[in-house]
Amino acid sequence: MAVHVLAVLAYKEGDRVTSAHLAESVNTNPVIVRRLLLALQRARLAETRRGAGAGSRLSRSPGRINLAEIYRAVEAVEPFATPSRKPNTACPVGHCIQQTLEKVFASARSALERDLEKTTLADVIDTVKASGVCGREKAV
């Protein structure tokens, strides 16, 4: 949803967009979009203004925002997590399974972020525009 919201902001090329408009595009409630925008503001990916000229826009060009930054801004929960309950350390597997999985998960998380760093928001918008569908849709 964060990539979708930022893609709409990028598509609007600096024009401010209301949370109601963003929610319509994402097909969700504006309150959910406003919460998401708070996380994106904390990460300095978007800026929001209230009152006259209200709405949100990107805080920098879409070519300078990569998907890893967006992922880090909104993903509070680890994508790979070990159970909170401790395994039985008397068991040969339980003795070392958490440490083993932590290494594997750290490597997977690192690979995911490295891959996301290769794609910018501008790349996403270029693909969206190339699809030719957006010109026919009124939501954006």
Side-chain angles (χ1 to χ4, degrees):
M1 188 183 314
V3 173
H4 186 146
V5 165
L6 291 173
V8 172
L9 298 181
Y11 192 86
K12 292 296 191 169
E13 298 179 349
D15 292 341
R16 293 203 179 268
V17 183
T18 65
S19 57
H21 184 84
L22 293 167
E24 183 180 326
S25 179
V26 176
N27 199 23
T28 192
N29 188 296
V31 171
I32 293 170
V33 170
R34 284 191 286 274
R35 285 187 198 131
L36 179 61
L37 284 167
L38 287 172
L40 297 172
Q41 287 177 108
R42 281 191 296 273
R44 296 189 166 119
L45 299 173
E47 55 187 49
T48 300
R49 180 187 298 166
R50 295 180 184 183
S56 299
R57 66 180 179 192
L58 295 178
S59 61
R60 59 185 189 261
S61 73
R64 295 187 58 227
I65 298 172
N66 67 56
L67 298 187
E69 290 177 280
I70 299 168
Y71 169 79
R72 289 182 202 115
V74 297
E75 290 301 323
V77 178
E78 289 291 324
F80 311 104
T82 55
S84 58
R85 290 187 68 179
K86 299 288 182 195
N88 180 351
T89 56
C91 169
V93 173
H95 177 71
C96 62
I97 191 69
Q98 284 191 317
Q99 297 90 339
T100 301
L101 289 177
E102 285 172 7
K103 289 177 187 174
V104 172
F105 293 163
S107 174
R109 185 173 44 255
S110 181
L112 170 66
E113 290 187 21
R114 272 193 314 273
D115 197 39
L116 290 173
E117 286 171 352
K118 296 175 186 175
T119 304
T120 67
L121 193 55
D123 297 330
V124 171
I125 288 302
D126 289 345
T127 303
V128 166
K129 287 180 177 178
S131 74
V133 175
C134 286
R136 291 180 273 150
E137 300 292 326
K138 74 170 193 121
V140 175

